Amino acid sequence: MPRLPVLHRPKLVSLRTTFAVSFAAVTAAVTILVGILSYGSAARLVRVDQQSVFTQVVQDVRDEVRQHQMGPEDFSSARPGHDLVRPARTDVQVLGARGQIVDHGRPVLPVTAQDTSMATARPAGAVVQYKDVPVDEDVFRIATVSLGGGRGAVQVAQEFSDTEDLLHALQQRTLILMSAVVVAAGLFGWWLARRITRRLVILTSAAENVARTRQLGIEVPVAGLDEVGRLGRAFDRMLGRLAQSEEDQRRLVQDAGHELRTPLTSLRTNISLLRRIDELPPATREELVADLTQEARELTDLVNELVDLAAGQSDSEPPQRVDLADIAEDVVGLAKRRTGRQIVLRASGDTTAEGRSGMLQRAMSNLVENAAKFDRGGEAPIEVRVTGPARPGTVRVEVLDRGPGIADCDLMRIFDRFYRAADARSLPGSGLGLSIVREVALAHGGAPFASRREGGGAVIGFTVGGAATESAGVRGGG
């Protein structure tokens, strides 16, 4: 059986190493480019300067021999006050009338047939030049200038290899300097990468710790005002919200389990009685069936409200510009058909805001149904008021009824999950309706509120688009 090829997992490269290598690579590229350009410019300037000196010396000799009738003895190095100035690294050799060496240079320069022809030439100032002429172990450029009248010639030579040796030494020093700069850049890049990525390493360790332990309460010790500091603070806030969400889910499950236990126990008890339904009198049978129907309805309402509450915490409906007065009008029309009560809608001001229409409709429906439940049999109409803006960018929604009002012991607890006041426990409901109102209000940047109504009853509602909490009191029930 053929063996399957082993897939090697690629080795992870840290951001610190990547940053240091990248920094060193960029520095190396820039250093090499600058070094090459600098060396090229320096070498070109040196060569041009040497060529200019040599050309000037040759031109001076030509001007002298053209202006004055001069012989080989006039250029002899042994003659005091000889006419030719010898620059550094310049050699002069004088030829006689037959091309023989009268005054040899140091070193002795080679004499070719062309040099001999220059020595016997009639015109003064004629010149012949040679490049890259090897003399001993050095390389020269040579120019031979005729003295005219067949009197001889002067050879001017400039050492070329010395200049190239100088440039070669400059090249070696440039390479050494570039290598030192690259090494220093690599070390500095590593130090800088450690300094920059230190806080990123802390964030990475915190994220890995959360993934490993699943503990969201880990503090992220990251400071600073740059992007890394902002990332650390955002990560810390994200962990805080995740921890709060996890705690809300845990509490919701615990509360839901506690609330579901009572109707399920009652259902189980009544179902066990169904086994002896033939032994029960007709009146007891009717009461048992009615009880089962009522408990099944309450259990269904409880499950639906739990689903609504969970949907309110993670609603995927995109926010858009909505008119809360239009939403309230739809809610009022539906509530009239369900309850048969008289419900009045009053809207004033600009009632538009950014929000999710489904969530806002759910919250308004819960408020109206809550008012109808507590004001059962009331003759005064239920009022729904939508006002905006109470403050800049804030829309206020409130429902007013003439029910029994709010007991002092129930203040500040009406929006708690599953909380039901003592006078509401005999009424149908789960205690989740106003909790959903609170979740919707907070999700829209507002807050729920409740208070006693002057003349009896209650005022319960919420704001959209404001962060201030309005609370004078709250009523149990939902």
Side-chain angles (χ1 to χ4, degrees), residues 451-466:
S451 62
R452 295 180 178 87
R453 185 182 183 185
E454 185 177 354
V459 179
I460 305 177
F462 62 93
T463 58
V464 173

Side-chain angles (χ1 to χ4, degrees), residues 323-465:
D323 191 337
L324 274 73
D326 292 341
I327 297 176
E329 185 177 359
D330 295 337
V331 170
V332 168
L334 181 61
K336 286 180 179 179
R337 293 191 295 271
R338 287 180 177 177
T339 63
R341 293 289 304 274
Q342 183 181 0
I343 303 175
V344 179
L345 171 63
R346 293 185 173 89
S348 61
D350 182 10
T351 58
T352 60
E354 289 289 329
R356 297 177 172 89
S357 60
M359 295 177 64
L360 294 171
Q361 185 174 10
R362 186 184 309 132
M364 292 184 190
S365 297
N366 289 350
L367 290 177
V368 175
E369 291 175 1
N370 182 78
K373 178 174 63 177
F374 279 89
D375 193 14
R376 182 175 298 180
E379 297 180 356
I382 298 173
E383 295 184 27
V384 178
R385 297 177 183 175
V386 182
T387 309
R391 288 184 299 274
T394 303
V395 180
R396 180 184 177 95
V397 178
E398 55 187 359
V399 177
L400 301 85
D401 62 57
R402 290 298 182 183
I406 305 171
D408 292 339
C409 61
D410 297 327
L411 294 177
M412 305 303 297
R413 298 194 61 188
I414 187 174
F415 296 104
D416 293 345
R417 293 174 182 171
F418 301 106
Y419 179 76
R420 304 185 71 191
D423 57 353
R425 291 169 187 168
S426 60
L427 299 175
S430 60
L432 286 176
L434 295 184
S435 296
I436 295 174
V437 173
R438 180 187 63 185
E439 297 293 337
V440 172
L442 295 178
H444 286 78
F449 61 87
S451 62
R452 295 180 178 87
R453 185 182 183 185
E454 185 177 354
V459 179
I460 305 177
F462 62 93
T463 58
V464 173

